[in-house]
Amino acid sequence: DCRYCHSAVDRSPYAGVPPTELCMNCHSQIWSQAPLLSLVRASFFSGRPIVWERVNSVPDFVFFNHSAHVRRNVGCVSCHGRVDLMGSVYMPNAMTMRWCLDCHRAPEKYLRPADRVADMEWAAPGSQRELGLEIKAKNQIDPPTHCSGCHR
């Protein structure tokens, strides 16, 4: 579950970056000797935090609120792709204004049950549109009414 590492994503505008100690909860057992994770091990043993390289970003004049999307049941995979299958995390979607507006204009295909928001393998049973409309009605997902809803 994405929320193991990004624990505040449903309560904060930012997903946040986990501390090295949290990374080591898994990586002391999984890929514990992988050269790719040498920086994580060095950070853990030295006590110096990792300077993370940002993968997903939007321009400075854009404000994206993670919690608003997670609370409305937009799946993590909709924006971030199948992170669970990425050997090295990359940005699978160009997060342009058009891309955001396309979703806001027809969010049905990106919506899912609340308990499946972080499920990378979830697929809608039957018609995605019917399920999306049902969730939309329940959560009142509407695009911002003014540009300042997303732009600073």
Side-chain angles (χ1 to χ4, degrees), residues 44-89:
F44 180 74
F45 291 115
S46 70
R48 287 189 304 271
I50 295 172
V51 178
W52 292 102
E53 183 178 326
R54 192 169 191 94
V55 175
N56 292 289
S57 62
V58 293
D60 289 340
F61 59 85
V62 174
F63 176 71
F64 177 85
N65 187 324
H66 269 92
S67 66
H69 291 80
V70 173
R71 286 192 316 252
R72 301 268 190 333
N73 303 335
V74 176
C76 304
V77 71
S78 299
C79 300
H80 297 286
R82 291 293 305 268
V83 175
D84 60 325
L85 300 177
M86 294 178 189
S88 185
V89 178

Coordinates of all heavy atoms in Angstrom, one line a residue, residues 44-89:
F44 N 21.0 5.4 6.5 CA 20.6 4.8 7.7 C 21.7 4.7 8.7 O 21.5 5.0 9.9 CB 20.0 3.4 7.4 CG 19.5 2.6 8.6 CD1 18.3 3.0 9.2 CD2 20.3 1.6 9.1 CE1 17.9 2.3 10.3 CE2 19.8 0.9 10.2 CZ 18.6 1.3 10.8
F45 N 22.8 4.2 8.3 CA 23.9 4.0 9.2 C 24.6 5.3 9.6 O 25.2 5.4 10.7 CB 24.9 3.0 8.7 CG 24.4 1.6 8.6 CD1 24.2 1.0 7.4 CD2 24.0 0.9 9.8 CE1 23.6 -0.3 7.3 CE2 23.5 -0.3 9.7 CZ 23.3 -1.0 8.5
S46 N 24.6 6.3 8.8 CA 25.2 7.6 9.1 C 24.3 8.6 9.9 O 24.7 9.5 10.5 CB 25.7 8.3 7.9 OG 24.6 8.8 7.1
G47 N 23.0 8.3 9.7 CA 22.0 9.2 10.3 C 21.8 10.5 9.5 O 21.0 11.4 9.9
R48 N 22.4 10.6 8.3 CA 22.1 11.7 7.4 C 21.0 11.4 6.5 O 21.0 10.4 5.8 CB 23.4 12.1 6.6 CG 24.5 12.7 7.5 CD 25.6 13.2 6.6 NE 26.2 12.2 5.8 CZ 27.2 11.4 6.1 NH1 27.8 11.5 7.3 NH2 27.7 10.5 5.3
P49 N 20.0 12.3 6.4 CA 18.9 12.1 5.5 C 19.3 12.1 4.1 O 20.2 12.7 3.7 CB 17.9 13.2 5.8 CG 18.7 14.3 6.5 CD 19.9 13.6 7.1
I50 N 18.5 11.4 3.3 CA 18.7 11.3 1.8 C 18.2 12.6 1.2 O 17.1 13.0 1.6 CB 18.0 10.1 1.2 CG1 18.6 8.8 1.8 CG2 18.0 10.1 -0.3 CD1 17.8 7.5 1.4
V51 N 18.9 13.1 0.2 CA 18.4 14.2 -0.6 C 17.7 13.5 -1.8 O 18.4 13.1 -2.7 CB 19.5 15.1 -1.0 CG1 19.0 16.3 -1.9 CG2 20.3 15.7 0.2
W52 N 16.4 13.4 -1.7 CA 15.7 12.7 -2.7 C 15.6 13.5 -4.0 O 15.5 14.7 -4.0 CB 14.2 12.4 -2.2 CG 14.2 11.5 -1.1 CD1 14.0 11.8 0.2 CD2 14.3 10.0 -1.2 NE1 14.0 10.6 0.9 CE2 14.2 9.5 0.1 CE3 14.5 9.2 -2.3 CZ2 14.2 8.2 0.4 CZ3 14.5 7.8 -2.0 CH2 14.4 7.3 -0.7
E53 N 15.6 12.8 -5.1 CA 15.4 13.4 -6.4 C 13.9 13.3 -6.8 O 13.3 12.3 -6.8 CB 16.2 12.6 -7.5 CG 16.1 13.3 -8.9 CD 16.9 12.5 -9.9 OE1 18.0 12.0 -9.5 OE2 16.5 12.4 -11.0
R54 N 13.3 14.5 -7.0 CA 11.9 14.6 -7.3 C 11.6 13.9 -8.6 O 12.2 14.3 -9.6 CB 11.5 16.0 -7.2 CG 10.0 16.1 -7.2 CD 9.6 17.6 -6.9 NE 8.2 17.6 -6.6 CZ 7.7 17.5 -5.4 NH1 8.4 17.4 -4.4 NH2 6.4 17.5 -5.3
V55 N 10.6 13.0 -8.7 CA 10.3 12.4 -9.9 C 9.0 13.0 -10.5 O 9.0 13.4 -11.7 CB 10.0 10.9 -9.7 CG1 9.5 10.2 -11.0 CG2 11.3 10.2 -9.2
N56 N 8.0 13.2 -9.8 CA 6.8 13.8 -10.2 C 6.7 15.3 -9.7 O 6.8 15.5 -8.6 CB 5.5 13.1 -9.7 CG 5.4 11.7 -10.3 OD1 5.1 11.5 -11.5 ND2 5.7 10.7 -9.5
S57 N 6.5 16.2 -10.7 CA 6.5 17.6 -10.3 C 5.6 18.4 -11.2 O 5.3 18.0 -12.3 CB 7.9 18.2 -10.2 OG 8.4 18.2 -11.5
V58 N 5.1 19.4 -10.7 CA 4.2 20.4 -11.5 C 4.9 21.7 -11.4 O 5.7 22.0 -10.4 CB 2.8 20.4 -10.9 CG1 2.1 19.1 -11.2 CG2 2.7 20.8 -9.5
P59 N 4.6 22.7 -12.2 CA 5.2 24.0 -12.2 C 5.0 24.7 -10.8 O 4.0 24.4 -10.2 CB 4.6 24.7 -13.3 CG 4.1 23.7 -14.3 CD 3.7 22.5 -13.4
D60 N 5.8 25.6 -10.5 CA 5.7 26.3 -9.2 C 4.3 27.0 -9.0 O 3.8 27.2 -7.9 CB 6.8 27.3 -9.0 CG 8.1 26.7 -8.8 OD1 8.1 25.5 -8.4 OD2 9.2 27.3 -9.0
F61 N 3.7 27.4 -10.1 CA 2.5 28.2 -10.0 C 1.2 27.3 -9.9 O 0.1 27.7 -9.8 CB 2.3 29.1 -11.3 CG 2.2 28.4 -12.6 CD1 1.1 27.8 -13.1 CD2 3.4 28.3 -13.3 CE1 1.1 27.2 -14.3 CE2 3.4 27.6 -14.5 CZ 2.2 27.1 -15.0
V62 N 1.5 26.0 -9.9 CA 0.4 25.0 -9.7 C 0.4 24.4 -8.3 O 1.4 24.1 -7.8 CB 0.5 23.8 -10.8 CG1 -0.5 22.8 -10.5 CG2 0.4 24.4 -12.2
F63 N -0.8 24.3 -7.8 CA -0.9 23.7 -6.4 C -1.7 22.4 -6.6 O -2.9 22.4 -7.0 CB -1.6 24.6 -5.5 CG -1.9 23.9 -4.1 CD1 -0.8 23.7 -3.3 CD2 -3.1 23.5 -3.8 CE1 -1.0 23.0 -2.1 CE2 -3.4 22.9 -2.5 CZ -2.3 22.7 -1.7
F64 N -1.1 21.3 -6.4 CA -1.8 20.0 -6.5 C -1.9 19.5 -5.0 O -1.0 19.4 -4.3 CB -0.9 19.0 -7.3 CG -1.5 17.6 -7.3 CD1 -2.5 17.3 -8.3 CD2 -1.2 16.7 -6.4 CE1 -3.1 16.1 -8.3 CE2 -1.8 15.4 -6.4 CZ -2.7 15.1 -7.4
N65 N -3.1 19.1 -4.7 CA -3.4 18.6 -3.3 C -3.7 17.1 -3.4 O -4.7 16.7 -3.9 CB -4.6 19.3 -2.8 CG -4.9 19.0 -1.3 OD1 -4.7 17.9 -0.9 ND2 -5.4 20.0 -0.6
H66 N -2.7 16.3 -2.9 CA -2.9 14.9 -2.9 C -4.1 14.4 -2.1 O -4.8 13.6 -2.5 CB -1.6 14.2 -2.3 CG -0.6 13.9 -3.3 ND1 0.5 14.7 -3.6 CD2 -0.4 12.8 -4.0 CE1 1.2 14.1 -4.5 NE2 0.7 13.0 -4.8
S67 N -4.3 15.0 -0.9 CA -5.3 14.5 0.0 C -6.7 14.7 -0.7 O -7.6 13.9 -0.5 CB -5.3 15.2 1.3 OG -5.6 16.6 1.3
A68 N -6.9 15.8 -1.4 CA -8.2 16.1 -2.1 C -8.5 15.0 -3.1 O -9.6 14.5 -3.2 CB -8.2 17.4 -2.8
H69 N -7.5 14.5 -3.8 CA -7.7 13.4 -4.8 C -7.8 12.1 -4.1 O -8.7 11.3 -4.5 CB -6.5 13.4 -5.7 CG -6.5 14.6 -6.6 ND1 -6.0 15.9 -6.2 CD2 -6.9 14.8 -7.9 CE1 -6.2 16.7 -7.2 NE2 -6.7 16.1 -8.2
V70 N -7.0 11.7 -3.1 CA -7.1 10.5 -2.4 C -8.5 10.3 -1.7 O -9.1 9.3 -1.8 CB -6.0 10.3 -1.4 CG1 -6.1 9.0 -0.6 CG2 -4.6 10.2 -2.2
R71 N -8.9 11.4 -1.1 CA -10.2 11.3 -0.4 C -11.4 11.2 -1.3 O -12.5 10.8 -0.9 CB -10.4 12.6 0.5 CG -9.5 12.5 1.8 CD -9.9 13.6 2.8 NE -10.1 14.9 2.2 CZ -9.3 15.9 2.3 NH1 -8.2 15.8 3.0 NH2 -9.6 17.1 1.7
R72 N -11.2 11.6 -2.6 CA -12.3 11.4 -3.6 C -12.1 10.2 -4.4 O -12.8 10.0 -5.4 CB -12.3 12.6 -4.5 CG -12.5 14.0 -3.8 CD -13.9 14.4 -3.8 NE -14.2 15.7 -3.3 CZ -13.6 16.5 -2.5 NH1 -12.4 16.3 -2.0 NH2 -14.2 17.7 -2.2
N73 N -11.2 9.3 -4.0 CA -11.0 7.9 -4.5 C -10.4 7.9 -5.9 O -10.7 7.0 -6.7 CB -12.4 7.2 -4.6 CG -13.0 7.1 -3.2 OD1 -12.3 7.1 -2.2 ND2 -14.3 6.9 -3.1
V74 N -9.5 8.8 -6.2 CA -8.7 8.7 -7.4 C -7.5 7.8 -7.1 O -6.8 8.0 -6.1 CB -8.2 10.1 -7.9 CG1 -7.3 10.0 -9.1 CG2 -9.4 11.0 -8.2
G75 N -7.4 6.8 -7.9 CA -6.3 5.8 -7.6 C -4.9 6.3 -7.8 O -4.7 7.1 -8.7
C76 N -4.0 6.0 -6.9 CA -2.6 6.4 -7.0 C -2.0 6.1 -8.4 O -1.3 6.9 -9.0 CB -1.7 5.7 -6.0 SG -2.3 6.0 -4.3
V77 N -2.4 4.9 -8.9 CA -1.8 4.4 -10.2 C -2.3 5.3 -11.4 O -1.6 5.4 -12.4 CB -2.3 3.0 -10.4 CG1 -3.7 2.8 -10.7 CG2 -1.4 2.3 -11.5
S78 N -3.4 6.1 -11.2 CA -3.9 6.9 -12.3 C -2.9 8.0 -12.6 O -2.8 8.4 -13.8 CB -5.2 7.6 -11.8 OG -6.2 6.7 -11.6
C79 N -2.1 8.5 -11.7 CA -1.1 9.5 -11.9 C 0.3 9.0 -11.9 O 1.1 9.4 -12.7 CB -1.2 10.6 -10.9 SG -2.8 11.5 -10.8
H80 N 0.5 8.1 -11.0 CA 1.9 7.6 -10.8 C 2.3 6.3 -11.5 O 3.4 5.9 -11.5 CB 2.2 7.4 -9.3 CG 2.1 8.7 -8.5 ND1 3.0 9.7 -8.6 CD2 1.1 9.2 -7.7 CE1 2.7 10.7 -7.9 NE2 1.5 10.5 -7.3
G81 N 1.3 5.7 -12.2 CA 1.6 4.4 -12.9 C 1.8 3.3 -11.9 O 1.6 3.4 -10.7
R82 N 2.2 2.2 -12.5 CA 2.5 1.0 -11.7 C 3.9 1.0 -11.0 O 4.8 0.4 -11.4 CB 2.4 -0.3 -12.6 CG 1.0 -0.6 -13.1 CD 0.0 -1.1 -12.0 NE 0.5 -2.2 -11.3 CZ 0.3 -3.4 -11.5 NH1 -0.5 -3.8 -12.5 NH2 0.8 -4.4 -10.7
V83 N 4.0 1.8 -10.0 CA 5.2 2.0 -9.3 C 5.7 0.7 -8.7 O 6.9 0.4 -8.7 CB 5.0 3.0 -8.1 CG1 6.3 3.1 -7.2 CG2 4.7 4.4 -8.7
D84 N 4.8 -0.2 -8.4 CA 5.2 -1.5 -7.9 C 5.9 -2.4 -8.9 O 6.6 -3.3 -8.6 CB 3.9 -2.3 -7.4 CG 2.9 -2.5 -8.5 OD1 2.7 -1.7 -9.4 OD2 2.2 -3.6 -8.5
L85 N 5.9 -2.0 -10.2 CA 6.5 -2.8 -11.3 C 7.8 -2.0 -11.8 O 8.4 -2.5 -12.7 CB 5.6 -3.1 -12.4 CG 4.4 -3.9 -12.0 CD1 3.5 -4.1 -13.3 CD2 4.8 -5.3 -11.5
M86 N 8.0 -0.8 -11.3 CA 9.1 0.0 -11.8 C 10.4 -0.4 -11.1 O 10.5 -0.3 -9.8 CB 8.8 1.5 -11.6 CG 7.7 2.0 -12.4 SD 7.4 3.8 -12.0 CE 5.9 4.1 -12.9
G87 N 11.4 -0.7 -11.8 CA 12.7 -1.0 -11.2 C 13.3 0.3 -10.6 O 14.0 0.3 -9.6
S88 N 13.1 1.4 -11.3 CA 13.5 2.7 -10.9 C 12.3 3.6 -11.2 O 11.7 3.6 -12.3 CB 14.7 3.2 -11.7 OG 15.1 4.4 -11.2
V89 N 11.8 4.4 -10.2 CA 10.6 5.2 -10.4 C 10.8 6.3 -11.4 O 11.8 6.9 -11.5 CB 10.2 5.8 -9.1 CG1 8.9 6.6 -9.2 CG2 9.9 4.7 -8.0

